[in-house]
Amino acid sequence: MKDSATAIISADDVKSFFQQPEVVFVDARGGNDAYDRYQSGHVSGAVFMDLETDLSKKSADAARGGRHPLPDPEAFGHLLGKVGIKPSQHLLVYDDKAGANAAARFWWMMKAARHSSIQVVDGGFAALSNAGLPILKGPAALLPPQSQYPVKSWMLPTADLEAVARAREGTDSLVLDVREHYRYIGESEPIDLVAGHIPGAQNVPYSDNLEADGKFRSPHALAAQYKALIGNRDVKKVIVHCGSGVTACHTLLAMEFAGISGANLYVGSWSEWSRNNKPIAIGQKP
């Protein structure tokens, strides 16, 4: 990408890329029925990526890495080669959650793999369908397989459990919790075992990145929002988390769109923190 503003692309602008050489659409979805949803309708030629099996490597114990731990980098590189993705390609990724879920996770992983040209479609699959792009039903598209994509390590900053424990107590650090507010205050917890939040974390729901129509706010508005939160802190001291390290990528994408790069992803997120006898806060932050 030439600049941060190209991290997100409108569905209308996507039309000019359709069927161009070296442009690949990636349909990323999560949930047990992700592939069924893909088969029920996807952009013509879109490669399928499953959050549960392709974009994470789950273990039997979510206390180690959370519910969606990152896969081994080299294994991910092997997968990319198998489905035909090359470093030279321009990737346009979408999901069926307006770009807030698996598409943002795939974007982060490809940036962490040093892929130079990838954009998330604003509004996701619904926006592409409404824009008139050809939608097909049926099994996953197959590109000619390539040699293994060169991924040796994740090249974007991440934070582990102990780094977050230290950061939450430091005045020069900032922990952002992007879950819905009712989950942050511990009103209820629909997914993980314990309700509440990391003491000291500030709540900025990922939905705050969006306008009422579900599209991303402008880079200017997003920059104002996050610069006010970060203040004089070094952005490298900012840690972003959610429930399991997926929607946190949506906020990292929004920050990139706003020209703010370098914040850390806490991959394990609340799903890991809440299972490790760490301090838990309930209610509003004082």
Side-chain angles (χ1 to χ4, degrees):
M1 287 180 277
K2 293 181 180 179
D3 57 70
S4 61
T6 63
I8 296 167
I9 185 172
S10 73
D12 285 335
D13 287 342
V14 164
K15 292 179 182 179
S16 64
F17 286 98
F18 191 68
Q19 292 186 333
Q20 283 192 12
E22 293 297 290
V23 172
V24 173
F25 283 83
V26 178
D27 184 308
R29 308 199 191 202
N32 294 332
D33 63 344
Y35 187 57
D36 291 338
R37 301 199 317 273
Y38 169 91
Q39 287 190 300
S40 70
H42 56 269
V43 172
S44 176
V47 172
F48 175 67
M49 284 284 164
D50 192 321
L51 171 64
E52 315 302 331
T53 57
D54 298 330
L55 307 183
S56 58
K57 178 65 174 178
K58 297 185 177 182
S59 68
D61 184 6
R64 300 183 130 191
R67 288 183 281 106
H68 289 106
L70 289 170
D72 174 77
E74 291 195 20
F76 183 60
H78 177 76
L79 170 69
L80 294 176
K82 182 179 178 181
V83 301
I85 291 177
K86 301 183 291 186
S88 61
Q89 290 167 335
H90 182 78
L91 305 181
L92 298 171
V93 57
Y94 66 89
D95 58 30
D96 57 357
K97 306 294 183 184
N101 192 255
R105 172 69 168 236
F106 181 76
W107 169 85
W108 186 93
M109 290 174 67
M110 293 307 298
K111 292 288 288 183
R114 289 187 169 176
H115 194 85
S116 62
S117 187
I118 178 169
Q119 296 174 290
V120 175
V121 179
D122 200 5
F125 178 70
L128 290 168
S129 180
N130 291 336
L133 268 77
I135 305 300
L136 299 181
K137 296 182 179 181
L142 296 175
L143 301 175
Q146 306 294 321
S147 58
Q148 177 161 333
Y149 193 108
V151 187
K152 299 297 183 183
S153 61
W154 301 116
M155 301 303 294
L156 287 182
T158 60
D160 62 17
L161 185 71
E162 296 308 320
V164 176
R166 293 189 298 271
R168 77 173 190 86
E169 296 181 337
T171 58
D172 63 340
S173 300
L174 175 64
V175 179
L176 293 180
D177 183 332
V178 309
R179 295 174 302 158
E180 297 92 337
H181 188 64
Y182 78 89
R183 293 179 70 187
Y184 171 83
I185 64 175
E187 182 179 292
S188 66
E189 176 49 57
I191 304 174
D192 290 307
L193 304 179
V194 182
H197 63 267
I198 298 171
Q202 293 192 36
N203 184 220
V204 187
Y206 75 89
S207 57
D208 286 2
N209 299 325
L210 306 173
E211 300 285 4
D213 63 358
K215 302 291 180 61
F216 276 88
R217 298 171 68 196
S218 70
H220 177 77
L222 290 167
Q225 172 174 293
Y226 287 107
K227 286 179 179 178
L229 284 164
I230 295 169
N232 294 325
R233 298 179 183 90
D234 183 345
V235 70
K236 295 178 182 178
K237 295 291 188 72
V238 176
I239 298 173
V240 182
H241 84 89
C242 55
S244 67
V246 178
T247 52
C249 295
H250 184 272
T251 289
L252 291 167
L253 171 64
M255 292 172 72
E256 179 87 4
F257 189 44
I260 303 170
S261 301
N264 297 264
L265 170 64
Y266 174 27
V267 181
S269 286
W270 182 249
S271 58
E272 180 182 55
W273 182 273
S274 61
R275 288 171 168 84
N276 276 278
N277 297 314
K278 294 293 187 182
I280 291 175
I282 298 292
Q284 298 280 2
K285 185 177 182 293

